[in-house]
Amino acid sequence: MSVMQVSTADSVATSNALLHRLKERIAASSVEKSFTVTNPADGSIVAKVPDLGAPKTEKAIALANDAQVAWAGLTAGERGAILRRWHDLILASEKELGEILTLEQGKPLAEARREVTFNASYIEWFAEEAKRAYGDVIPTSASSRRQLVIKQPVGIVGAITPWNFPSGMITRKAAPALAAGCVIILKPSDETPLSALALECLAEDAGFPAGVFQVITSKDPAPVAQTLTSHPLVRKISFTGSTRVGKLLMQQSADSVKRMSLELGGNAPLIVFDDADIDSAVAGALVAKFRNAGQTCICANRILLHTSIKDAFLDKFVAAAEAMNVGDGLDPSSDMGPMINTAAKNKVQALIADAVEKGATVSTSRHSSDVGNFMPPTILCDVTTDMDIAHTEIFGPVAPVLVFENDEDAIALANDTPYGLAAYFWTRKLSRAWRVAEQLEVGMVGLNDIAISGEATPFGGVKESGIGREGSRYGLDDYLNVKYIAMGGI
Ligand code: NAD
């Protein structure tokens, strides 16, 4: 297989009415500085977007503050109706949003379009869920008193998002925040700001009042983030990204004691026990490892195989990985697109080199797709815990394989990491299923399954993988304050 050479980026960009509209809006805005967004498949320039800094962020906070009271004062149903219109407009533009996403991020178009529609479901879901932000009436401790609990929006939210899901990571935050009655200022990744600007455009069409959903694009994240984290009017920081930056934002937010939602890095184990359905495990591992070129926080970062099924699993896993088509995301035959940039690819190659130097062996042979920002799906065997790759979030299409002899070893290996986002395992034994699921130190477990993400289920980690949950009723609570009212003199 070789990297597919296609030249459709220009024609896709020219025919995309939403991208055209974005470019016109940007051209009409009077910005002093801008930065370029490039296509990771070929390095071509997709667009120039405003490079805004601290002063513009200050203005956005002032505008958000003007909008906050009125937005919170609407009923959940009134807010929900606007959210619902946003959701419908996103679905109506899913092809254009998908193309914009592939142009700036690289993932295959079908994957990009699924990201747009799948994550729009968070908007629809939270538009309804906010109607159920129930309080409590607590049995009284004095006959002249009544004890009530109400839920109120946290206030202005500063959100910072990564490039690996340029659309999904935004709607997952914006939907619960806006539904709860918060207003939001979003700083997307400088690698993928166009999806955010496109969502902002559609939010305006949906009828969100000015100041309710604002996007600040910037090449230099630090001044924008510093303004959001230090400003007393911003009541919450919601961040998805690396653990390193998450810790930094937490430190910066400490002075004003902000509420935090942190969706950080992961080092997910995928464990295959001796009684597993091997075909199901291979199919799961293939998606959990190579989706989005391995650039997801819940990627299977380590494949842990029981010694007795190692060969049976690897025969099928290697064959399936070698059959994957690597190429431009706009080519319909591509199963996997490029890495986001050269630095990301270099990091992954350094991890492979370290592992090979320490005794790992490369079991796949797809060197032909190793060009530009593209990388072949790679499987590394004989990996041991002294190798960097066993402890680092790889964020690339490399599957390190480790072996274990018994359940205790598997659990110990799986938990041997400061991260605690996701884990997957395959077994058909009920007692093992319960025991292992309970012992894994993670926020999400996939048992004979990898589909652990959805609008109605809680997504998030423990340990250094973060704080808070996205999706589900727990996700709404992250944007609500609990207020107790004691009513005396009754
Ligand atoms: P990153 O931490 O480098 O960047 C994330 C965001 O933070 C971007 O908007 C970036 O501009 C901003 N940022 C970078 N440096 C900053 C600084 N010094 N101050 C303030 N803001 C700064 O992460 P990334 O490379 O964009 O994304 C990959 C990471 O995101 C991985 O670690 C991945 O696991 C994580 N992630 C986690 C989840 C989850 O739900 N847990 C989901 C997706 C991605």
Side-chain angles (χ1 to χ4, degrees):
M1 296 285 174
S2 63
V3 172
M4 306 295 297
Q5 295 297 333
V6 288
S7 55
T8 50
D10 279 351
S11 60
V12 166
T14 343
S15 64
N16 190 306
L18 189 53
L19 183 58
H20 191 62
R21 184 175 161 204
L22 282 184
K23 287 182 179 174
E24 282 189 336
R25 275 164 66 106
I26 293 166
S29 65
S30 51
V31 289
E32 286 164 19
K33 259 169 76 184
S34 59
F35 63 98
T36 51
V37 182
T38 53
N39 181 343
D42 58 13
S44 61
I45 294 176
V46 183
K48 287 190 175 189
V49 301
D51 191 356
L52 306 170
K56 183 68 191 176
T57 312
E58 292 270 1
K59 277 191 188 158
I61 294 170
L63 191 59
N65 194 42
D66 291 344
Q68 175 63 68
V69 173
W71 182 247
L74 295 181
T75 65
E78 287 166 339
R79 288 194 299 271
I82 300 176
L83 280 157
R84 180 72 208 208
R85 277 203 292 280
W86 193 28
H87 165 264
D88 293 347
L89 288 169
I90 290 172
L91 291 198
S93 305
E94 61 95 9
K95 180 169 176 286
E96 288 160 302
L97 287 164
E99 287 173 356
I100 291 171
L101 204 163
T102 293
L103 282 171
E104 66 178 348
Q105 201 271 351
K107 69 179 65 174
L109 186 55
E111 218 175 297
R113 291 176 71 167
R114 265 198 309 280
E115 177 182 334
V116 169
T117 51
F118 175 70
N119 287 286
S121 64
Y122 284 74
I123 302 175
E124 181 186 45
W125 198 84
F126 279 109
E128 288 301 316
E129 185 61 7
K131 296 174 188 167
R132 293 181 280 274
Y134 303 125
D136 278 314
V137 180
I138 297 174
T140 187
S141 52
S143 58
S144 63
R145 184 186 312 128
R146 300 294 177 266
Q147 308 182 143
L148 309 169
V149 171
I150 61 169
K151 304 250 181 93
Q152 292 182 305
V154 164
I156 300 174
V157 174
I160 300 174
T161 51
W163 50 263
N164 64 339
F165 290 95
S167 174
M169 296 301 115
I170 295 171
T171 52
R172 280 170 179 232
K173 295 183 186 308
L178 294 168
C182 303
V183 302
I184 185 163
I185 299 167
L186 166 76
K187 195 215 75 66
S189 167
D190 59 293
E191 301 280 359
T192 57
L194 294 168
S195 293
L197 292 171
L199 287 172
E200 184 188 41
C201 224
L202 297 178
E204 275 176 36
D205 295 349
F208 284 100
V212 170
F213 178 71
Q214 302 179 74
V215 175
I216 300 279
T217 51
S218 178
K219 183 72 186 160
D220 182 5
V224 177
Q226 182 72 52
T227 309
L228 290 172
T229 51
S230 62
H231 204 292
L233 286 176
V234 176
R235 294 311 318 150
K236 172 168 177 129
I237 296 294
S238 184
F239 172 72
T240 299
S242 61
T243 295
R244 180 186 70 80
V245 175
K247 288 178 180 177
L248 192 70
L249 297 177
M250 206 173 175
Q251 284 163 2
Q252 289 176 5
S253 303
D255 266 355
S256 48
V257 195
K258 296 200 195 312
R259 284 188 64 175
M260 304 292 294
S261 280
L262 299 172
E263 296 285 351
L264 308 178
N267 181 3
L270 186 147
I271 313 169
V272 187
F273 287 98
D274 51 2
D275 63 334
D277 175 338
I278 299 295
D279 286 337
S280 162
V282 167
L286 207 64
V287 179
K289 178 66 256 183
F290 298 117
R291 183 170 67 116
N292 203 10
Q295 302 169 115
T296 86
C297 53
I298 54 169
C299 258
N301 209 53
R302 295 165 294 158
I303 312 281
L304 312 183
L305 303 179
H306 189 269
T307 43
S308 68
I309 51 84
K310 178 188 157 209
D311 291 343
F313 178 93
L314 280 176
D315 283 351
K316 293 182 176 182
F317 190 44
V318 169
E322 291 193 337
M324 287 180 78
N325 226 348
V326 180
D328 190 317
L330 292 173
D331 185 322
S333 70
S334 299
D335 300 312
M336 204 172 88
M339 306 278 302
I340 188 69
N341 55 36
T342 313
K345 180 173 170 177
N346 289 344
K347 181 199 126 179
V348 177
Q349 284 181 327
L351 287 172
I352 297 176
D354 171 78
V356 168
E357 197 186 306
K358 291 174 181 160
T361 49
V362 179
S363 298
T364 35
S365 56
R366 289 281 312 284
H367 307 298
S368 55
S369 49
D370 200 354
V371 294
N373 288 338
F374 293 92
M375 273 195 82
T378 303
I379 297 170
L380 282 182
C381 288
D382 306 310
V383 170
T384 49
T385 52
D386 61 324
M387 299 173 186
D388 291 346
I389 203 157
H391 301 284
T392 310
E393 183 179 37
I394 303 167
F395 241 58
V398 183
V401 176
L402 295 90
V403 291
F404 62 89
E405 296 287 347
N406 56 47
D407 291 18
E408 288 66 36
D409 288 349
I411 297 288
L413 264 178
N415 288 339
D416 182 19
T417 169
Y419 295 109
L421 193 57
Y424 312 90
F425 68 101
W426 263 258
T427 183
R428 286 189 266 215
K429 235 172 144 179
L430 186 61
S431 57
R432 175 185 273 155
W434 268 110
R435 215 177 44 247
V436 174
E438 286 174 357
Q439 290 175 0
L440 287 167
E441 297 169 353
V442 293
M444 294 166 288
V445 173
L447 164 59
N448 300 322
D449 202 350
I450 55 149
I452 57 171
S453 179
E455 76 279 13
T457 52
F459 189 102
V462 298
K463 294 161 79 176
E464 293 189 18
S465 286
I467 300 171
R469 292 294 177 266
E470 289 186 343
S472 83
R473 63 191 167 89
Y474 306 104
L476 191 67
D477 283 343
D478 280 8
Y479 294 89
L480 290 167
N481 284 332
V482 166
K483 183 182 278 176
Y484 167 53
I485 304 173
M487 299 175 66
I490 292 170

